[in-house]
């Protein structure tokens, strides 16, 4: 039964080399297998044609390659593509290809479900089932790269960890995946084209800084007033704004890279002058930019509604007045439930 075998992609290059020396073969076979797995994206041992047949059979006997399978692919009328991805144990996550004129961005998931409880997010209604393995994250990226080549005649250019799950609650595997995505013997993408988005886990933001990561950091802020934030993102009662600010200062001191704040403006929740002032003040902690994101309604009994355009303009004016870069992000893929906050395995 292949399901009972260890997934070979859980092994490091050194462990692969060791497997071969212990089997009486040569260590460089480990490098060859590593290249097949991470550089060429092999789905089976049969394709590893530079290995002698008995070696391939040995691998087959000991290991599995639990590759993901794109179960359902949906296309939006704006070009966005959503993949429902089946994992080897039958669980499903979603990832999204977002095309613009010049870029293709992959929005990938890091967990099945989510450990956090943001009231406005559809993924939060699924309970967290498990963390994704590094290879399951890399497979999502590869699948989207392939789709980008097929449908847009260009490779994937950017990756955002803004799909299902909280990446910093699956820290180790997310970093291992990014290592495979960026390293020369993996996909060789620049870390500058990768953004990890977090709801704001202070301890792990500090750890990112200590680990000297080279990718970008985005924080889903949504309010710079502690009580308001905690009322819409209940975990923020524990991960308080003050600690978040301190962690971001630490991040900036160590990385010298500015932070992006993601922010939705809702009617009667955070659209008043005090909310704007709090955000502008919060932005003084570290160099940053603000991404105002459009709210994508999910079934919520009417608690959350996008604020009026005039209120959003007040935000823009106040931020621009303080020379804080601000962009307004239009939603993509709404018609297929592929937009921010809509990933919930509905199909
Ligand atoms: N847990 C991480 C990664 C998910 S990113 C994080 O929170 O950053 C998903 C982004 O979509 C977050 O910025 C989240 O706040 C936002 N989002 C969630 N629900 C949304 C909705 N209904 N409409 C628009 N954006 C939403």
């Amino acid at each position: 039964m292949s399901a009972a075998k260890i997934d070979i992609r859980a092994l490091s290059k050194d462990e692969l080399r060791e497997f071969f020396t212990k089997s009486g073969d040569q260590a460089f076979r480990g490098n060859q297998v590593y290249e097949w797995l991470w550089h060429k994206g092999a789905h089976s041992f049969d394709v590893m044609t530079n290995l002698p047949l008995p070696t391939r059979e040995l691998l087959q006997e000991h290991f599995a390659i639990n590759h993901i399978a794109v179960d359902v692919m949906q296309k939006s009328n704006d070009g966005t593509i959503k993949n429902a991805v089946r994992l080897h144990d039958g669980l499903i996550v979603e990832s999204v290809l977002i095309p613009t004129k010049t870029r293709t961005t992959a929005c990938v998931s890091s967990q099945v479900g989510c450990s956090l409880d943001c009231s406005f997010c559809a993924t939060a209604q699924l309970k967290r089932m498990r963390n994704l393995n590094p290879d399951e994250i890399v497979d999502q990226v590869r699948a989207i790269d392939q789709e980008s080549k097929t449908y847009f005649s260009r490779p994937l250019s950017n990756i955002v960890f803004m799909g299902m799950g909280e990446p910093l609650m699956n820290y180790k595997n997310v970093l291992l995946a990014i290592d495979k995505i960026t390293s020369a013997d993996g996909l060789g993408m620049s870390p500058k084209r990768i953004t990890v988005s977090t709801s704001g886990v202070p301890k792990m933001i500090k750890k990112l800084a200590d680990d000297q990561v080279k990718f970008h950091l985005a924080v889903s802020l949504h309010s710079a007033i502690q009580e308001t934030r905690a009322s819409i993102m209940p975990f923020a009662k524990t991960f308080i704004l003050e600690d978040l600010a301190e962690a971001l200062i630490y991040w900036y001191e160590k990385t010298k890279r500015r932070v992006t704040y993601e922010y939705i403006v809702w009617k009667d929740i955070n659209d008043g002058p005090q909310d704007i002032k709090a955000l502008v003040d919060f932005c003084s902690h570290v160099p940053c930019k603000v991404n105002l994101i459009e709210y994508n309604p999910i079934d919520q009994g009417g608690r959350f509604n996008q604020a009026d355009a005039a209120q959003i303009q007040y935000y823009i004016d106040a931020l621009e007045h303080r020379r804080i870069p601000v962009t307004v992000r239009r939603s993509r893929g709404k018609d297929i439930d592929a937009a921010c906050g809509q990933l919930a395995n509905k199909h």
Side-chain angles (χ1 to χ4, degrees), residues 6-55:
I6 305 172
D7 188 336
I8 192 164
R9 293 187 296 174
L11 273 64
S12 66
K13 196 190 274 180
D14 284 343
E15 286 166 339
L16 283 171
R17 288 168 62 88
E18 200 186 312
F19 168 80
F20 282 106
T21 48
K22 280 194 176 150
S23 320
D25 205 329
Q26 298 175 67
F28 83 95
R29 292 272 177 234
N31 300 29
Q32 289 179 311
V33 172
Y34 190 90
E35 193 189 353
W36 276 111
L37 294 173
W38 297 108
H39 189 63
K40 298 182 182 153
H43 290 209
S44 79
F45 298 113
D46 299 338
V47 299
M48 302 184 179
T49 44
N50 57 352
L51 304 181
L53 185 60
T55 308

Side-chain angles (χ1 to χ4, degrees), residues 59-325:
L59 291 172
Q60 189 73 49
E61 213 176 285
H62 284 83
F63 302 107
I65 302 177
N66 292 327
H67 210 274
I68 64 160
V70 176
D71 218 23
V72 183
M73 194 185 96
Q74 288 172 279
K75 281 194 193 162
S76 159
N77 49 31
D78 68 18
T80 303
I81 294 176
K82 180 168 84 170
N83 292 333
V85 164
R86 181 174 298 275
L87 309 173
H88 70 94
D89 55 3
L91 293 171
I92 306 268
V93 291
E94 294 177 335
S95 32
V96 185
L97 178 161
I98 307 150
T100 64
K101 276 208 186 84
T102 53
R103 292 177 175 193
T104 299
T105 300
C107 174
V108 298
S109 294
S110 54
Q111 297 181 313
V112 186
C114 189
S115 9
L116 301 179
D117 49 8
C118 305
S119 320
F120 47 85
C121 180
T123 308
Q125 293 164 2
L126 310 170
K127 77 171 195 294
R128 189 199 77 99
M129 306 290 284
R130 71 169 171 88
N131 285 336
L132 292 187
N133 300 323
D135 46 278
E136 292 168 329
I137 296 170
V138 176
D139 286 350
Q140 292 176 66
V141 171
R142 265 185 203 288
I144 289 179
D145 183 44
Q146 203 49 57
E147 288 167 354
S148 183
K149 287 171 182 154
T150 306
Y151 298 106
F152 301 95
S153 309
R154 61 184 187 215
L156 172 69
S157 58
N158 297 73
I159 303 172
V160 293
F161 281 77
M162 295 188 187
M164 299 170 139
E166 168 50 47
L168 299 192
M169 298 279 200
N170 183 15
Y171 188 94
K172 190 169 140 248
N173 291 350
V174 166
L175 260 66
L176 280 170
I178 292 176
D179 184 55
K180 308 286 189 216
I181 292 164
T182 54
S183 64
D185 52 10
L187 296 176
M189 275 184 76
S190 165
K192 292 192 188 110
R193 294 176 171 277
I194 301 176
T195 300
V196 170
S197 178
T198 175
S199 307
V201 188
K203 205 170 103 191
M204 301 323 271
I205 291 173
K206 284 187 171 173
K207 184 157 168 52
L208 286 176
D210 286 337
D211 287 342
Q212 306 265 317
V213 299
K214 298 285 180 274
F215 48 78
H216 296 285
L217 178 67
V219 174
S220 301
L221 191 61
H222 304 313
S223 173
I225 298 175
Q226 172 59 26
E227 306 76 67
T228 308
R229 192 164 191 265
S231 76
I232 55 177
M233 303 167 86
F235 71 88
K237 286 180 197 133
T238 319
F239 300 138
I240 62 172
L241 270 175
E242 222 179 306
D243 294 345
L244 178 60
E246 194 212 313
L248 292 171
I249 292 166
Y250 188 87
W251 158 271
Y252 187 75
E253 278 170 357
K254 292 237 164 169
T255 67
K256 294 284 174 259
R257 238 160 309 130
R258 73 174 177 183
V259 177
T260 300
Y261 298 125
E262 289 157 278
Y263 202 101
I264 308 173
V265 188
W266 290 283
K267 209 181 187 59
D268 299 330
I269 291 180
N270 60 354
D271 62 347
Q274 70 285 7
D275 300 291
I276 298 176
K277 181 174 183 311
L279 175 62
V280 170
D281 289 347
F282 194 87
C283 286
S284 68
H285 290 307
V286 293
C288 62
K289 67 173 183 186
V290 175
N291 224 334
L292 294 176
I293 50 186
E294 195 184 329
Y295 176 57
N296 300 305
I298 56 163
D299 308 327
Q300 272 305 339
R303 178 174 170 206
F304 293 97
N305 295 291
Q306 165 101 356
D308 296 335
Q311 303 310 119
I312 298 174
Q313 193 58 47
Y314 285 139
Y315 262 100
I316 297 171
D317 295 345
L319 291 163
E320 284 182 342
H321 184 68
R322 295 282 283 266
R323 299 187 188 287
I324 300 159

